[in-house]
Amino acid sequence: EPEVTQTPSHQVTQMGQEVILRCVPISNHLYFYWYRQILGQKVEFLVSFYNNEISEKSEIFDDQFSVERPDGSNFTLKIRSTKLEDSAMYFCASSVGPGQGVTYEQYFGPGTRLTVT
Amino acid sequence: KNEVEQSPQNLTAQEGEFITINCSYSVGISALHWLQQHPGGGIVSLFMLSSGKKKHGRLIATINIQEKHSSLHITASHPRDSAVYICAVWLGGSEKLVFGKGTKLTVNP
């Protein structure tokens, strides 16, 4: 069964460093998402991406964050200058169709645990 | 105020018991997800529903759009059902999922 994959599973970085989290969505999916979950808290939406552009983002997704689909298969989340408070589990998800009007199920990756020291 | 409220926050059951987890939401939605998160952190989608009822094995999910309420039922619970169960809603006119805080279920043998 097709699945969303994410690499690395765990990333440790120093404050101020740039990190890139990678995701490979399910191949025929068109909508891509990033979520984060700070330890002990609920999952929060960061950004949705369709047709090579951001379609919606949350207030968390500030100028420090960017997303890209560099090669038609990978979907990346970049954090430019990490802060301690960026430590969290980051989940990628994908769905086959648009999120507005007709609603399609999202499939989640296993997550990348980011630790900023 | 949280847009999605789940109850209970924690639930301990004996193997074989019937489990109910509730989700209430305060906003217009286009659909609702029930998700399962295991201790390792990975999230698995159990159901997506916008009306009525869905069943998969021992799991049953119902939704009442008028009352803005959904329930997840587990029949004949088993220790392997121990996980955090999360309700998440698609906001109407939006592309984002809004998540509840989750219900931690522990099923003892």
Side-chain angles (χ1 to χ4, degrees):
Chain A
E1 187 176 323
E3 59 183 17
V4 177
T5 60
Q6 289 186 244
T7 54
S9 56
H10 190 189
Q11 172 97 42
V12 181
T13 191
Q14 288 193 320
M15 198 166 52
Q17 295 295 304
E18 174 184 285
V19 293
I20 297 175
L21 310 183
R22 290 183 166 79
C23 168
V24 179
I26 295 173
S27 61
N28 64 332
H29 285 189
L30 300 176
Y31 266 68
F32 315 113
Y33 311 85
W34 282 103
Y35 298 90
R36 80 169 185 193
Q37 185 178 33
I38 294 170
L39 189 64
Q41 297 187 23
K42 64 180 181 178
V43 180
E44 301 172 288
F45 169 81
L46 290 177
V47 67
S48 60
F49 190 86
Y50 171 69
N51 201 25
N52 275 322
E53 59 183 25
I54 291 173
S55 47
E56 187 167 350
K57 62 182 181 179
S58 72
E59 57 276 8
I60 302 167
F61 194 88
D62 60 22
D63 291 344
Q64 289 290 94
F65 292 89
S66 62
V67 288
E68 196 179 29
R69 189 153 160 83
D71 57 12
S73 60
N74 289 283
F75 178 52
T76 61
L77 174 70
K78 183 193 290 187
I79 309 175
R80 268 182 256 290
S81 177
T82 49
K83 307 184 192 74
L84 294 175
E85 54 265 36
D86 294 326
S87 295
M89 182 78 101
Y90 289 80
F91 293 100
C92 173
S94 68
S95 67
V96 68
Q100 293 183 358
V102 181
T103 305
Y104 291 86
E105 189 166 2
Q106 286 191 23
Y107 294 82
F108 288 81
T112 293
R113 185 169 298 284
L114 177 65
T115 303
V116 182
T117 61
Chain B
K1 184 186 187 301
N2 289 324
E3 292 159 308
V4 181
E5 298 276 1
Q6 287 186 236
S7 63
Q9 281 188 290
N10 292 283
L11 182 54
T12 301
Q14 287 300 121
E15 185 172 354
E17 284 185 8
F18 181 83
I19 304 291
T20 295
I21 298 170
N22 295 300
C23 175
S24 297
Y25 51 92
S26 57
V27 293
I29 70 169
S30 51
L32 181 146
H33 267 276
W34 279 104
L35 307 161
Q36 182 189 56
Q37 186 171 34
H38 278 283
I43 294 175
V44 174
S45 178
L46 299 174
F47 296 103
M48 189 188 75
L49 64 167
S50 53
S51 65
K53 175 178 170 177
K54 285 190 176 180
K55 185 176 190 289
H56 182 69
R58 295 180 295 107
L59 302 178
I60 303 166
T62 64
I63 188 168
N64 185 319
I65 295 292
Q66 286 75 27
E67 294 187 4
K68 293 188 163 69
H69 182 268
S70 177
S71 293
L72 176 69
H73 306 285
I74 306 174
T75 60
S77 59
H78 191 276
R80 66 175 174 266
D81 297 325
S82 298
V84 176
Y85 292 84
I86 302 171
C87 171
V89 300
W90 280 105
L91 297 185
S94 170
E95 293 172 17
K96 66 178 188 180
L97 280 176
V98 176
F99 292 74
K101 291 182 178 177
T103 294
K104 184 175 180 183
L105 172 65
T106 304
V107 182
N108 294 316

